Amino acid sequence: MLYRRTKRRSGLAVLRLYCVIIAAAMLIVFAVRAFEGKASDFSQDYIVNFAGQITTDALSDAVQNTLNELDYDYGDFAVVKYSGDGSVKSIETNSKNINIFKAAVTKSAQDEVAKIKHSKMEIPLGAFTGLTLLSNLGPQIPLTFCLTGNFNSRIESTFESAGINQTIHHIRLIISSHIVTASVDHSGEMTFDTDYELAQSVIVGEIPTTYGGNRLVY
């Protein structure tokens, strides 16, 4: 009789242990799946932001490299023509140099982005909790992703009043970027414009009405 009771208690103890193990395993599975869902949602936004940042840096390098290589200044993009009385007669743009610069900077942008095609970033484990106090705590979780993109560039010429009878002529480069990112569990794309000042000059005299206050695009 004592043996049977002891055996029964032992069996119940083993059954309870099995139940605890199964419950713990299920809890771990649910926790892992919940974490993966949270991490997937969080990493998508993080990857997009990080990709935008490193792409902008790459484009800045591309523009600076092109400016250094071609050594262009304001006079290479536009020339102000004055009439005999000293008034502004016209502002002539150098279409050849503009097209050369646009082609060179677009190619340089493609080359710079190709260098960061395979990228890696690290996110603190606490960031996945969604809690502000824990966002910067915990070990760094590495995330890898790929990015590629295509670019279009245009040059905008704008005029800004600089006082009596003076106007600042700005020549800006606008790069339109379409970036595609991909990781193990996510893919996305984004489109944005980046503005760079290439050159400027103070023009003395009244700007012709065909130019004053207008934005010209090349």
Side-chain angles (χ1 to χ4, degrees):
M1 178 71 75
L2 181 60
Y3 173 74
R4 289 180 179 177
R5 290 178 179 175
T6 303
K7 186 175 181 181
R8 183 179 301 172
R9 290 175 182 173
S10 178
L12 291 174
V14 172
L15 181 60
R16 290 194 189 98
L17 179 60
Y18 284 154
C19 290
V20 170
I21 293 175
I22 292 173
M26 292 179 64
L27 182 62
I28 292 173
V29 170
F30 288 139
V32 169
R33 300 188 79 174
F35 176 80
E36 286 183 347
K38 180 70 175 178
S40 178
D41 294 338
F42 182 81
S43 63
Q44 291 183 27
D45 294 335
Y46 212 95
I47 287 175
V48 169
N49 291 334
F50 187 76
Q53 176 186 334
I54 61 176
T55 299
T56 300
D57 291 342
L59 294 180
S60 297
D61 291 340
V63 173
Q64 191 59 53
N65 292 340
T66 304
L67 284 172
N68 292 339
E69 180 180 348
L70 296 178
D71 196 25
Y72 280 177
D73 56 20
Y74 178 86
D76 295 299
F77 293 107
V79 176
V80 180
K81 299 289 187 179
Y82 291 91
S83 60
D85 60 0
S87 62
V88 178
K89 179 180 180 180
S90 65
I91 300 175
E92 298 179 0
T93 56
N94 191 322
S95 298
K96 179 181 177 180
N97 284 352
I98 287 174
N99 289 331
I100 289 174
F101 185 85
K102 286 168 58 179
V105 79
T106 300
K107 182 181 183 304
S108 182
Q110 296 282 6
D111 293 341
E112 290 297 323
V113 170
K115 296 177 183 178
I116 56 174
K117 180 178 181 180
H118 301 286
S119 299
K120 178 182 178 180
M121 61 181 178
E122 294 183 339
I123 306 176
L125 181 61
F128 294 104
T129 65
L131 301 176
T132 304
L133 293 176
L134 301 178
S135 60
N136 292 321
L137 301 179
Q140 298 291 321
I141 306 299
L143 292 177
T144 58
F145 65 95
C146 298
L147 69 84
T148 185
N150 58 72
F151 309 93
N152 292 311
S153 61
R154 67 184 187 274
I155 288 181
E156 289 188 354
S157 180
T158 59
F159 300 88
E160 175 189 1
S161 176
I164 300 176
N165 212 31
Q166 290 187 340
T167 303
I168 300 177
H169 182 198
H170 297 277
I171 298 178
R172 294 186 174 94
L173 173 71
I174 313 297
I175 299 181
S176 297
S177 307
H178 179 74
I179 304 298
V180 178
T181 60
S183 62
V184 175
D185 57 356
H186 139 269
S187 63
E189 57 184 84
M190 57 182 166
T191 301
F192 59 91
D193 289 345
T194 314
D195 186 329
Y196 301 94
E197 179 96 3
L198 298 180
Q200 62 175 261
S201 179
V202 176
I203 301 173
V204 179
E206 184 178 354
I207 300 296
T209 55
T210 53
Y211 290 93
N214 293 331
R215 171 175 292 180
L216 309 180
V217 182
Y218 311 99

